[in-house]
Amino acid sequence: MSFQAGKCSVRQNNISSVKKWAYALLLVAATQSGAVAVALEAESRSPCDHFNADRQPFFGDLHVHTRYSLDASTQGTRTTPDEAYQFAQGVRIGVQPWDANGEPQRSLQLSRPLDFAMVSDHAELLGEVEMCNNPEVTGHNSWQCRVYRAWPRGAFYLFNFMASMRASHLGLCGEGDELCKAASMAPWQEMRDAAEAHYDRSADCTFTTFIGYEWTGLVPSSGGNLHRNVVFRSAKVPPLPASYIDTPGETLLWDALESECNDSGAGCEALVIPHNSNLSAGQMFPLQLANGSPLDADYAARRQRMEPLVEIMQHKGASECFYSPGITRDELCAFEQLPRDNIARFNNPPAPDTGFLRDTWLQGLSQQARLGIDPFRFGVIASTDTHLGAPGAVAEDGFLGHGGDGVPALKAVPPGLPDKLEYNPGGLAVLWAEQNTRDDLFAAMQRREAYGTSGPRIVTRLFAGWDLNPGLCGAADMASQGYAQGVPMGSDLGPAPAGSGLSLLLAAQQDAGLAERPGLPLQKIQVIKGWLDADGARREQVYDVAGDAQAQGTVDTANCATAGTGHAKLCTVWNDPDFDPAQRAFYYSRVIENPSCRWSQRLCIAGGVDCSRPETIGEGFEGCCASEHRPVVQERAWSSPVWYQPAAL
């Protein structure tokens, strides 16, 4: 099985520049069958030495907050965008708290650098953060800024309430909000400058940065999260980011990005990635327009174009699917599941099963049957949502918390657990691209050839086609044949040729890890299928397609030692035994790793906690013995789906 794993793992130095640029031109003319068409912009930069026409996986984090996010700054985060990009490349950074001499008492360092990252500070309060921290900025001595400096935790709630729930500033911005807009210019420029400074444009292509930000809104009536990250393809970006205060609704955000960027003719291009639909009270993926009428084809087309991806996993939980005993058969949905349905912690009527992606993909099939286009045809990534400026800090071992909505970073100081039990270290975004450049990675996002992991650097591929060759797993050119015979994850497929069966080529490779800390074996690959039956009812099925019953890893929760068997690699060509060419359907894969200790259990052991002996439960370790504590985790990777369309509408 030919399989590319890890950063720049396949070097093809004999590929000439002519071949590279010819391939780029070919991509402009035609993309893979069924994939989303994209128009590539040729960057002014050297081609990468590691260029691979069959694409390779690049690991990154597109959700990173630094000192310019109000929720990070009021917790004491001092990390700059520049330091965040250094951290992503393996440089140690200090994190709070700081001592009286201004020296950090804790520090972090990635054991393995990322391939790409994006600082995504909140657009809504960039000006206020700069104003309240910089004595040279008009408004620094306003009562609002005095509250910010004297009572930062109170300011966290006060400022965010006004921005995210009232779509308003707090009265310190002057007429037309001009003071805050002016104050926003410096941090926005610093975010842009840092991204440019750390983008490796040499032929090594070791690290790619994206300019972007977070658009942060809530539904006032339900506390539902509407947060989205905006990613720009190049350094050509609007003068200021469009915030929720400016554009209080997803269609208004799209309007601003289209007019100021995508349709401006200025070479600017942006896409949008929603996150934490698990906390959206079911309102991240509405079935009605703002005026209360049903979704229409125009909305569906715009959503497909502007929002090709969503975050399936991050610090504030997983959004794949909901599990409840006796209601849901898929027990593996019980993974980093939060106990509420909204980010504001409103006591809504019990409905924690809203906003999950599997149900939304099914709803998309129904909407397509009605509209002729699916508004919810998105692929997936994962990221961290770190508020320490620490992109890629996803290890369960040594987790320091991520701040933000969890335990304030100023309080996340040992001894004790550094974050709320319900939160986790977050995940990673993985993009299949020819080379590690902005153009190629952005194109991968647009065509949805992307997947997410819960932290490990699991490598996985998925191709769909008709009666695929069962010997593909052993082929030296497996990926080339996958592209030639089918379509990759994120693509559309259909209609079926007469008499053909639908096949998936699925491959996965465990995280190689490091010599001193190797990755864990894989347990299995699953295929999750969703479809509409003849009467329009939405159905789903989980299939175990690779791995075996003997591959049963174990973990000792007393010391976190792992044992048992598993798989370094898995590969199969799976034929859908229930394929009906008349039924709309989607398919995605879920790769499951052997069990290991969760971050909280590791810290409980380090803290000497024995729940049978109350005297060992020190201050800050009470969560170790709480009923909701989950000592074991099974890390995983989720592919973007492929969609089967039986006939053109």
Side-chain angles (χ1 to χ4, degrees):
M1 176 176 66
S2 175
F3 206 76
Q4 289 80 47
K7 178 180 177 181
C8 303
S9 59
V10 177
R11 295 279 174 173
Q12 295 192 351
N13 295 319
N14 60 331
I15 297 179
S16 68
S17 295
V18 172
K19 183 174 179 181
K20 296 172 188 176
W21 292 116
Y23 185 75
L25 291 172
L26 178 62
L27 283 176
V28 174
T31 57
Q32 292 293 335
S33 174
V36 176
V38 295
L40 295 183
E41 171 190 326
E43 289 187 79
S44 282
R45 53 159 302 138
S46 302
C48 300
D49 287 342
H50 63 252
F51 182 95
N52 184 350
D54 288 332
R55 298 174 183 153
Q56 54 196 297
F58 295 100
F59 292 81
D61 189 348
L62 295 171
H63 197 162
V64 178
H65 296 280
T66 74
R67 64 187 296 177
Y68 291 120
S69 288
L70 181 128
D71 49 359
S73 70
T74 53
Q75 295 181 39
T77 293
R78 301 184 187 182
T79 311
T80 65
D82 181 80
E83 289 169 327
Y85 288 128
Q86 290 185 54
F87 179 83
Q89 296 172 83
V91 175
R92 182 175 293 277
I93 62 169
V95 296
Q96 62 269 60
W98 276 261
D99 63 21
N101 298 317
E103 295 296 324
Q105 297 182 50
R106 299 189 301 170
S107 65
L108 281 172
Q109 185 175 21
L110 281 185
S111 57
R112 290 181 287 177
L114 296 176
D115 297 315
F116 64 91
M118 181 182 80
V119 168
S120 58
D121 282 316
H122 297 284
E124 287 66 32
L125 298 162
L126 277 179
E128 283 89 330
V129 172
E130 175 71 3
M131 182 183 293
C132 294
N133 283 302
N134 188 345
E136 303 300 318
V137 175
T138 302
H140 181 75
N141 291 318
S142 63
W143 70 264
Q144 295 93 335
C145 281
R146 291 198 296 271
V147 169
Y148 173 98
R149 293 189 293 273
W151 186 28
R153 195 60 181 164
F156 169 86
Y157 290 106
L158 178 62
F159 280 71
N160 274 312
F161 170 79
M162 292 300 294
S164 296
M165 301 193 75
R166 294 291 183 86
S168 174
H169 294 283
L170 196 57
L172 69 167
C173 295
E175 186 174 352
D177 297 331
E178 290 302 321
L179 293 178
C180 287
K181 290 179 181 178
S184 298
M185 297 296 290
W188 179 234
Q189 188 64 54
E190 184 175 334
M191 291 163 66
R192 295 159 64 181
D193 289 345
E196 285 297 283
H198 288 279
Y199 180 28
D200 181 6
R201 287 184 168 89
S202 76
D204 293 333
C205 299
T206 57
F207 187 61
T208 294
T209 61
F210 287 100
I211 298 171
Y213 65 91
E214 180 172 336
W215 177 93
T216 313
L218 283 82
V219 180
S221 60
S222 66
N225 161 75
L226 299 178
H227 301 190
R228 288 158 161 83
N229 288 331
V230 176
V231 185
F232 294 100
R233 181 179 201 134
S234 70
K236 296 176 181 177
V237 301
L240 280 175
S243 73
Y244 181 74
I245 297 172
D246 308 315
T247 59
E250 74 271 18
T251 57
L252 298 176
L253 173 63
W254 304 340
D255 289 343
L257 291 172
E258 286 172 338
S259 64
E260 297 180 16
C261 188
N262 293 15
D263 299 337
S264 68
C268 177
E269 194 170 2
L271 58 79
V272 181
I273 305 176
H275 61 266
N276 285 119
S277 59
N278 60 317
L279 294 175
S280 70
Q283 293 168 299
M284 182 68 82
F285 309 114
L287 299 179
Q288 293 181 323
L289 301 175
N291 62 10
S293 61
L295 300 185
D296 57 29
D298 177 69
Y299 176 94
R302 292 186 75 201
R303 183 149 202 167
Q304 270 203 29
R305 183 172 64 251
M306 296 301 298
E307 300 191 350
L309 298 172
V310 298
E311 250 181 36
I312 196 170
M313 166 81 180
Q314 62 117 269
H315 177 53
K316 295 192 293 294
S319 300
E320 180 205 359
C321 51
F322 176 77
Y323 177 74
S324 179
I327 297 176
T328 313
R329 289 182 296 172
D330 185 358
E331 294 184 358
L332 284 173
C333 289
F335 174 74
E336 299 299 350
Q337 185 173 293
L338 269 60
R340 60 187 183 281
D341 77 341
N342 70 93
I343 198 170
R345 291 184 171 81
F346 286 1
N347 188 24
N348 294 339
D353 58 339
T354 61
F356 288 89
L357 303 187
R358 189 185 299 177
D359 290 338
T360 305
W361 282 318
L362 284 165
Q363 184 61 247
L365 297 181
S366 298
Q367 292 296 312
Q368 184 182 21
R370 185 178 69 86
L371 299 172
I373 186 169
D374 182 348
F376 307 132
R377 191 151 294 190
F378 42 73
V380 299
I381 60 160
S383 283
T384 61
D385 192 15
T386 175
H387 283 64
L388 303 181
V394 294
E396 302 283 342
D397 188 14
F399 180 49
L400 294 182
H402 274 318
D405 194 50
V407 171
L410 284 170
K411 296 181 180 179
V413 183
L417 302 181
D419 211 342
K420 295 180 180 179
L421 280 177
E422 64 191 46
Y423 293 140
N424 70 88
L428 295 176
V430 194
L431 303 174
W432 282 100
E434 296 78 18
Q435 54 188 348
N436 190 15
T437 69
R438 285 177 176 169
D439 270 349
D440 289 88
L441 297 181
F442 194 88
M445 288 187 262
Q446 287 181 312
R447 67 175 179 267
R448 304 182 294 251
E449 196 171 354
Y451 68 95
T453 86
S454 60
R457 300 196 185 189
I458 297 167
V459 180
T460 188
R461 298 197 96 153
L462 180 153
F463 293 94
W466 308 115
D467 299 319
L468 294 177
N469 182 348
L472 279 174
C473 286
D477 60 347
M478 183 191 76
S480 295
Q481 290 197 49
Y483 285 116
Q485 298 182 34
V487 296
M489 64 178 74
S491 301
D492 297 339
L493 182 69
S500 297
L502 189 143
S503 304
L504 298 181
L505 168 60
L506 303 124
Q509 182 172 300
Q510 76 170 68
D511 182 352
L514 299 169
E516 66 274 18
R517 190 180 299 170
L520 282 181
L522 304 178
Q523 184 183 89
K524 59 185 172 182
I525 301 178
Q526 297 179 304
V527 169
I528 293 86
K529 176 185 177 182
W531 73 96
L532 296 185
D533 65 17
D535 62 2
R538 295 187 285 273
R539 310 291 186 189
E540 63 181 75
Q541 179 70 45
V542 179
Y543 302 87
D544 289 346
V545 301
D548 53 68
Q550 285 70 44
Q552 296 295 323
T554 61
V555 58
D556 185 343
T557 55
N559 56 22
C560 291
T562 58
T565 59
H567 303 276
K569 294 181 180 181
L570 289 168
C571 187
T572 190
V573 174
W574 175 77
N575 299 302
D576 181 359
D578 306 307
F579 177 65
D580 183 338
Q583 293 176 340
R584 289 184 180 85
F586 64 80
Y587 302 79
Y588 68 94
S589 67
R590 186 169 62 188
V591 181
I592 305 298
E593 193 178 78
N594 278 353
S596 58
C597 276
R598 194 171 183 264
W599 68 269
S600 48
Q601 182 66 11
R602 294 170 189 268
L603 290 174
C604 293
I605 293 171
V609 174
D610 179 347
C611 293
S612 67
R613 299 169 55 212
E615 67 272 16
T616 68
I617 307 171
E619 183 179 357
F621 288 102
E622 296 83 0
C624 298
C625 304
S627 60
E628 63 268 25
H629 180 224
R630 305 183 296 275
V632 175
V633 65
Q634 275 195 279
E635 307 280 15
R636 59 200 62 196
W638 305 265
S639 78
S640 292
V642 291
W643 288 265
Y644 169 66
Q645 171 63 43
L649 296 178

